[in-house]
Every structure is written in structure tokens, then in C-alpha cells.
Amino acid sequence: DTAVSQTPKYLVTQMGNDKSIKCEQNLGHDTMYWYKQDSKKFLKIMFSYNNKELIINETVPNRFSPKSPDKAHLNLHINSLELGDSAVYFCASSPWEGSTDTQYFGPGTRLTVL
Amino acid sequence: QQPVQSPQAVILREGEDAVINCSSSKALYSVHWYRQKHGEAPVFLMILLKGGEQKGHEKISASFNEKKQQSSLYLTASQLSYSGTYFCGTEPQTSNTGKLIFGQGTTLQVKP
């Protein structure tokens, strides 16, 4: 019944490792987003996809690579994890890429890099 | 280009009112308001569009001053459930991609 789901909810890993976070939405939306929220609660967009096509690609290190196998899924793969990558990562979706629609956020994935 | 929210934090007693402001240096197409409780995801409250259109909850009210590029969120007769961090997300007029730039947040605590 969950609208936007993410797995895992918590992720603890060592520096240098590679990890993935998965996101799925069952709302039938066309657009999905990845946001990063740091320890000061600053919420910043990283990527957005519309119907599997990359629309927004903010200044994010190349170690971060999003993948959208279909419009209901948007995964985030992170290579060579660094301490500064520790944050809460939120997936979100909206009906389309315009600004007039609500974005629905997933529960978040808390990533801790040791 | 991050919008600035004020105040940074506010403490209220149940039943009191509060106003949270969001100011941008850029001309805006829309302002979105979200509330985030500790350890949870941001939840949509309201969208205000250039031209005066609004979409949101009936019990939440907000305004958008296009001349000043400023939005205000009005919380009246506050309840304990209003506690959380409020974020405004702004979209510049030059963009129509749904890209929101969020303010730094305003923490609201409502006490019994």
C-alpha cells in the first residue's frame, strides 16, 4: 500500500565500498527524484528522471549514478563511498516534471559511512 | 540562490499562531511548503503558484507575494501535531522541470 518505498532504510558501510539504494513508486507517476539531506537538514536535489529519461543532474560527483529501469523505479548506485556521503537520501515522485505537482517522498535511507 | 526562511526556530504553546516566511532573490514560478517530523519524510502541505493559484490542505494557509518573491505560511491555533521542521521549496521562473530549491528549514515546537 506504500506509495514511495525505499530499501534499505539504514545502510552502514566502510569507506571505499560501493552500495546501492532502491526506490519504487506505485502511484503511476512519470517523474522520480533523488534528494540528499545532510546533518544540518539541508535538503538538496541530486537527480530527476521523467519516464526513464534524465532531466535534472545537479553538481554531484561521478561516483553517484542513478538508474531508472522503468518509470516506477529509480535506483542510486554510489561508488567508492566517502565519509561526506553520510546523509539521509530521499526518493520522491510526482505526476510529471512540471512544478505544479506535489512531490511525494519516500521514507528515506540513512547512509552512514565509517 | 537558496531561499531564506525565517525564523530559524519557534516555540509555541498549543492554540497560539505562527508565521513562517520564505524569501528568494530570484523571480519564482512556484513555492512549495513541506513539513518534516523527526526521522520521517517531508510531507506536502501547499503549493503556491505565480498568478495566485494555490493547492493544499484546507487547514493550512499561505500567501505568495510575487513582487517581493516572498511566501508566508500561516499556522493558526497550533496543535501538538504541528511540531516539526517546515521547508519551503522554490522553483525559479526560468525552470519548469520540477526542480525545487529548499530553504534551510524552520523548526517549530508546540508545547502543551
Side-chain angles (χ1 to χ4, degrees), chain B residues 40-61:
Chain B
E40 298 181 8
V43 174
F44 167 75
L45 295 176
M46 176 158 286
I47 295 174
L48 301 108
L49 302 172
K50 180 174 178 286
E53 186 181 349
Q54 296 186 9
K55 294 195 283 188
H57 293 285
E58 292 178 359
K59 295 187 178 181
I60 300 285
S61 64

Side-chain angles (χ1 to χ4, degrees), chain A residues 9 33 35 37 40-43 45 48 55-56 58 90 96-103 105-107, chain B residues 2 29-30 32 34 36 39-42 44 47 49 55 85 87 91 96-100 102-103 107:
Chain A
K9 188 166 174 62
Y33 309 82
Y35 286 89
Q37 187 172 44
K40 294 184 179 178
K41 296 188 178 178
F42 178 42
L43 192 60
I45 191 166
S48 84
I55 300 298
I56 298 172
E58 288 297 289
F90 287 102
W96 67 294
E97 65 184 285
S99 70
T100 59
D101 277 295
T102 305
Q103 293 185 19
F105 283 77
Chain B
Q2 180 187 10
Y29 182 77
S30 68
H32 300 224
Y34 285 81
Q36 184 180 29
E40 298 181 8
F44 167 75
I47 295 174
L49 302 172
K55 294 195 283 188
T85 301
F87 293 95
E91 182 173 17
N96 191 28
T97 60
K99 173 185 171 182
L100 297 179
F102 284 91
T107 302

Side-chain angles (χ1 to χ4, degrees), chain A residues 63-95:
Chain A
R63 299 181 294 104
F64 291 81
S65 52
K67 282 190 173 52
S68 182
D70 55 61
K71 75 174 192 177
H73 296 84
L74 180 62
N75 305 322
L76 183 66
H77 188 75
I78 316 171
N79 289 326
S80 304
L81 278 155
E82 301 178 357
L83 292 176
D85 298 333
S86 295
V88 180
Y89 292 83
F90 287 102
C91 175
S93 73
S94 67

Side-chain angles (χ1 to χ4, degrees), chain B residues 18-47:
Chain B
V19 180
I20 301 172
N21 298 306
C22 173
S23 295
S24 174
S25 59
K26 287 183 173 285
L28 300 176
Y29 182 77
S30 68
V31 180
H32 300 224
W33 286 97
Y34 285 81
R35 177 172 60 215
Q36 184 180 29
K37 293 185 179 287
H38 182 69
E40 298 181 8
V43 174
F44 167 75
L45 295 176
M46 176 158 286
I47 295 174

Side-chain angles (χ1 to χ4, degrees), chain A residues 49-68:
Chain A
Y49 272 74
N50 186 61
N51 266 321
K52 301 192 298 175
E53 182 183 345
L54 181 65
I55 300 298
I56 298 172
N57 184 356
E58 288 297 289
T59 308
V60 176
N62 291 337
R63 299 181 294 104
F64 291 81
S65 52
K67 282 190 173 52
S68 182

Side-chain angles (χ1 to χ4, degrees), chain B residues 40-107:
Chain B
E40 298 181 8
V43 174
F44 167 75
L45 295 176
M46 176 158 286
I47 295 174
L48 301 108
L49 302 172
K50 180 174 178 286
E53 186 181 349
Q54 296 186 9
K55 294 195 283 188
H57 293 285
E58 292 178 359
K59 295 187 178 181
I60 300 285
S61 64
S63 64
F64 178 25
N65 185 324
E66 292 179 38
K67 286 185 179 178
K68 293 184 178 180
Q69 303 306 319
Q70 180 175 329
S71 178
S72 297
L73 185 70
Y74 304 98
L75 302 167
T76 56
S78 58
Q79 305 169 18
L80 294 176
S81 61
Y82 287 10
S83 294
T85 301
Y86 290 77
F87 293 95
C88 67
T90 57
E91 182 173 17
Q93 284 186 16
T94 51
S95 166
N96 191 28
T97 60
K99 173 185 171 182
L100 297 179
I101 303 169
F102 284 91
Q104 81 277 21
T106 295
T107 302

Side-chain angles (χ1 to χ4, degrees), chain B residues 1-14:
Chain B
Q1 63 184 26
Q2 180 187 10
V4 177
Q5 291 183 229
S6 62
Q8 284 193 319
V10 59
I11 300 174
L12 298 175
R13 293 284 178 192
E14 268 188 296

